[in-house]
Amino acid sequence: MALVFRAVAQLGGISLSLLGWVLSCLTNYLPQWKNFNLDLNEMENWTMGLWQACVIQEEVGMQCKDFESFLGLPAELRISRVLMFVSNGLGFLGLLVSGFGLDCLRIGETQRDVKKRLLILGGILFWTAGVTALVPVSWVAHVTVQEFWDERIPEIVPRWEFGEALFIGWFAGFSLLLGGCLLNWAACGTQAPLASGRYAVAETQPHHLHLEMKTTHLKL
């Protein structure tokens, strides 16, 4: 039963981590981090991401323009770009490392200690990737809330609100964290199975040989 829980934890951990990594990559490039619509023209919506700003019109569709200057961006957007790239890179590295540590992969099946360390390292990488994905998303959300309730801004000025990418980023970050926890639990909380049947047989052969020699000696 412990081996079944171990296999399920590994499968669930790597699946959640893969989902979180894909969603974090998607969050990085989506332009819907913040959005607002004009009261005078409800058919026109504006969105802003880390890389471009877009306007959505009912007749024309979506038109986007990339930000020309990195230094001209607000601090939260500049640092969010860096952190999201770090999160994507750590998530990809975590997938590679933890993949080689799975029990279902026959590569290095005799070196159970090495596979255990790979799972633990992969879980730590996923934790770090989850944190570096949650920080920029939460920071942009915090700044958006501050600006929305800023009394110094006239009421007629449109206010930015949460975009869909923020919610996707939160889900991605928590998926990476949970996936890393499952992988570390599978590595530390359960005992690894024997590598394969032939190694188990090889380990029992000396014991059987000893019993046969002892039985022969008693008969003599």
Side-chain angles (χ1 to χ4, degrees):
M1 185 63 68
L3 298 183
V4 175
F5 285 135
R6 177 184 175 88
V8 171
Q10 288 187 4
L11 179 60
I14 199 69
S15 300
L16 281 173
S17 301
L18 176 60
L19 176 63
W21 177 71
V22 171
L23 292 179
S24 67
C25 293
L26 182 63
T27 303
N28 190 8
Y29 295 101
L30 280 177
Q32 288 88 11
W33 282 58
K34 299 192 293 184
N35 57 39
F36 73 82
N37 61 334
L38 300 174
D39 294 334
L40 299 178
N41 187 3
E42 297 181 354
M43 297 182 180
E44 183 175 283
N45 296 323
W46 290 80
T47 65
M48 178 185 295
L50 300 180
W51 305 94
Q52 58 186 356
C54 301
V55 57
I56 305 173
Q57 297 176 333
E58 185 175 350
E59 298 179 355
V60 181
M62 177 181 289
Q63 295 179 332
C64 299
K65 182 179 180 181
D66 296 336
F67 297 127
E68 298 178 354
S69 174
F70 175 78
L71 297 178
L73 294 174
E76 67 272 11
L77 295 184
R78 294 198 306 268
I79 298 178
S80 293
R81 283 188 181 185
V82 178
L83 291 177
M84 290 304 297
F85 269 127
V86 172
S87 176
N88 299 158
L90 291 175
F92 180 72
L93 186 60
L95 289 173
L96 291 179
V97 171
S98 59
F100 286 105
L102 297 176
D103 293 338
C104 60
L105 191 65
R106 291 300 184 183
I107 299 177
E109 58 184 352
T110 59
Q111 300 175 344
R112 286 175 289 175
D113 290 338
V114 175
K115 293 175 77 69
K116 177 180 178 180
R117 294 190 186 99
L118 289 176
L119 275 182
I120 295 175
L121 178 58
I124 294 174
L125 289 172
F126 286 136
W127 282 348
T128 311
V131 171
T132 51
L134 290 173
V135 168
V137 173
S138 301
W139 189 6
V140 172
H142 174 70
V143 173
T144 302
V145 171
Q146 281 188 324
E147 294 177 350
F148 185 87
W149 297 108
D150 192 349
E151 298 179 353
R152 296 171 299 178
I153 301 177
E155 295 183 358
I156 60 174
V157 176
R159 311 294 179 95
W160 290 104
E161 298 185 16
F162 291 172
E164 294 81 359
L166 295 183
F167 299 98
I168 298 177
W170 277 317
F171 186 80
F174 286 118
S175 296
L176 288 167
L177 289 175
L178 182 57
C181 290
L182 287 176
L183 289 177
N184 278 274
W185 178 82
C188 301
T190 57
Q191 185 177 2
L194 290 176
S196 64
R198 63 178 182 273
Y199 297 107
V201 172
E203 291 176 358
T204 57
Q205 282 180 351
H207 180 66
H208 289 303
L209 182 60
H210 175 72
L211 290 178
E212 291 177 0
M213 292 176 63
K214 185 175 181 180
T215 303
T216 304
H217 179 71
L218 291 176
K219 289 180 178 180
L220 294 176

